[in-house]
Amino acid sequence: MIDVLVVDDDFRVAEINAKYVGKVPGFRVAARAHSAAQALAAVERGTIDLVLLDHYLPDRTGLELVHRMREQGHGTDVIMITAASDVTTVQQAMRLGALHYLVKPFTFAALRARLDSYAALRRTVDRVGGRGLTGQEQVDRIFGALRTAPAPSAPGLPTGHSEPTTDLICGVLHRAGHPLSAHEVAARTGLSRSTAQRYLRHLEQAGRLRLSLKYGDTGRPEHRYAWVAP
């Protein structure tokens, strides 16, 4: 098994990413961290093979954490999973040895493609190293193992929608146990009201939520959404 450390300052996002990892054969979540200090402590325990690392952390950036890890001699592999998509950050991640860079929001298929290619890399390195082989052909095999095919869009999701955000909204409504408005969903998820409304409308049309109207004394009725058990 490949032991994974999931690092994200948002507890809910970390939980979603951890669930994704748990769905990929050969991988298991060994720990979660919500700050660079927690992540470094987990790496120092020596049981982590791979870090899924957010860049925006409360005490230091993800890249600063990777730099610190390398200074201390930790060669733990890193895949960046972050909303940071500027060229400078991407270049710095490459120079620090990040094996992949996945921009939020992303689908489960996209993450699985990166994890599968990472597993293929480990198998290739073990096979080549075990035989003591050298030469350009063997080097090409190792570097080629990291290539990933473009991940298909998640079935049933419109353009601009992501599985993590969908899962986040469904989880909030499932745990609520009663109908919520778009405003309430936005407050509980940290999303904007317009984003929450867009996802709620799609989920209701897909039959995953039930829409009801709450009438007040004046004005338009409030749209409220309830979880529909599959």
Side-chain angles (χ1 to χ4, degrees):
M1 296 294 289
I2 297 173
D3 287 324
V4 179
L5 169 63
V6 176
V7 184
D8 199 293
D9 67 320
D10 189 316
F11 285 73
R12 296 164 298 185
V13 173
E15 182 64 23
I16 291 172
N17 291 348
K19 288 181 179 179
Y20 279 177
V21 172
K23 292 166 64 176
V24 181
F27 290 82
R28 64 185 174 194
V29 176
R32 298 174 181 81
H34 308 292
S35 68
Q38 292 176 357
L40 185 59
V43 170
E44 288 175 340
R45 287 195 288 269
T47 60
I48 304 299
D49 299 307
L50 174 67
V51 181
L52 299 185
L53 180 61
D54 187 18
H55 182 58
Y56 299 117
L57 300 173
D59 46 353
R60 65 173 68 188
T61 68
L63 293 185
E64 289 172 341
L65 170 60
V66 178
H67 183 70
R68 182 62 174 162
M69 288 166 52
R70 301 305 183 236
E71 281 186 334
Q72 294 186 358
H74 300 298
T76 310
D77 294 320
V78 174
I79 293 178
M80 298 296 296
I81 298 183
T82 177
S85 58
D86 59 283
V87 174
T88 300
T89 303
V90 174
Q91 286 180 328
Q92 289 177 346
M94 293 174 62
R95 289 165 183 161
L96 287 170
L99 297 178
H100 280 299
Y101 198 107
L102 192 56
V103 178
K104 298 177 181 178
F106 57 90
T107 64
F108 168 65
L111 177 58
R112 176 163 188 169
R114 273 68 179 181
L115 294 179
D116 285 343
S117 74
Y118 173 72
L121 171 66
R122 288 173 62 97
R123 291 193 299 269
T124 301
V125 170
D126 289 344
R127 184 166 58 250
V128 171
R131 297 176 182 174
L133 301 178
T134 59
Q136 188 62 55
E137 181 181 354
Q138 311 309 323
V139 172
D140 290 343
R141 287 184 185 180
I142 294 173
F143 276 86
L146 278 175
R147 296 175 186 152
T148 59
S153 299
L157 287 182
T159 301
H161 287 229
S162 72
E163 283 190 48
T165 303
T166 300
D167 290 345
L168 178 61
I169 290 176
C170 289
V172 164
L173 287 163
H174 183 260
R175 290 189 296 271
H178 58 84
L180 298 176
S181 67
H183 177 76
E184 290 170 326
V185 171
R188 297 190 185 198
T189 59
L191 301 170
S192 68
R193 188 183 184 284
S194 60
T195 297
Q197 183 65 64
R198 180 160 49 90
Y199 277 81
L200 290 167
R201 187 180 303 113
H202 165 70
L203 290 167
E204 187 268 328
Q205 292 172 351
R208 299 176 65 180
L209 302 179
R210 181 177 65 255
L211 172 64
S212 61
L213 301 179
K214 180 180 179 181
Y215 291 89
D217 296 332
T218 58
R220 299 173 59 185
E222 182 182 53
H223 288 65
R224 301 183 68 81
Y225 299 86
W227 173 255
V228 176

